[in-house]
Amino acid sequence: MGLPLLLAAIALGGCSEIFDDPTPENIYFEMRGEAGDRVRAIYSTQFVAGSNEFGVTRVQVVRSDTVIHEIPFQRTMDISIDRRWFVQAESLEGDTLAVQVIVNVDDRGLLNETGGIFPDEPWHFVYSFNQLLTRDLDVEF
């Protein structure tokens, strides 16, 4: 009887990832770019989002926090209750900013991209656990 238990323990040990809880706990957000550039970041975990037949995700923000950041910066936020996260970054001085953005949920990488924040076109990202959303966003506050 010892051998079957040993084999079962080995089999289950190799399959431990099956039993890992994928429920998100924290979002890690980092923005790099020209040192000293400033952005207005609007954060929310309380919003409604859904994609339409044209592939546009509509985000209706219910409650948000606004923070002025000086680049480079990093922030970790708890999303264990709402299991969703939205960020919109805007240029404060009306300049085009070249940035690199990194977003991780717990220890899983979600995004690592380089791009721009334009005067009339903020950068935004939305994450929602177990919901398929697009990067083409229509945002309402």
Side-chain angles (χ1 to χ4, degrees):
M1 185 136 91
L3 183 58
L5 285 176
L6 177 62
L7 291 176
I10 291 171
L12 287 176
C15 299
S16 66
E17 292 175 3
I18 294 171
F19 300 107
D20 286 345
D21 184 4
T23 305
E25 293 182 18
N26 294 292
I27 284 278
Y28 170 82
F29 177 55
E30 180 177 357
M31 185 173 284
R32 301 174 186 165
E34 184 71 32
D37 282 346
R38 296 181 330 136
V39 296
R40 175 184 301 114
I42 302 169
Y43 298 103
S44 179
T45 59
Q46 297 176 5
F47 59 88
V48 178
S51 297
N52 66 19
E53 66 274 11
F54 303 110
V56 176
T57 295
R58 184 173 185 95
V59 178
Q60 175 67 51
V61 177
V62 177
R63 185 172 173 205
S64 63
D65 293 318
T66 301
V67 179
I68 305 299
H69 291 291
E70 188 172 298
I71 295 175
F73 67 90
Q74 55 189 349
R75 186 168 186 186
T76 301
M77 289 153 278
D78 181 354
I79 62 167
S80 61
I81 295 172
D82 295 306
R83 298 180 183 175
R84 66 185 73 214
W85 180 74
F86 168 82
V87 63
Q88 177 169 304
E90 305 167 350
S91 170
L92 278 179
E93 282 78 32
D95 297 330
T96 298
L97 305 178
V99 296
Q100 177 186 10
V101 178
I102 298 168
V103 179
N104 297 332
V105 61
D106 297 329
D107 60 352
R108 299 179 301 272
L110 291 180
L111 179 75
N112 186 344
E113 73 177 16
T114 301
I117 300 174
F118 303 98
D120 295 326
E121 189 178 326
W123 179 90
H124 37 310
F125 183 81
V126 64
Y127 166 80
S128 187
F129 180 60
N130 283 342
Q131 187 177 1
L132 295 175
L133 302 173
T134 66
R135 288 292 308 274
D136 188 8
L137 301 180
D138 178 22
V139 179
E140 275 189 41
F141 292 92

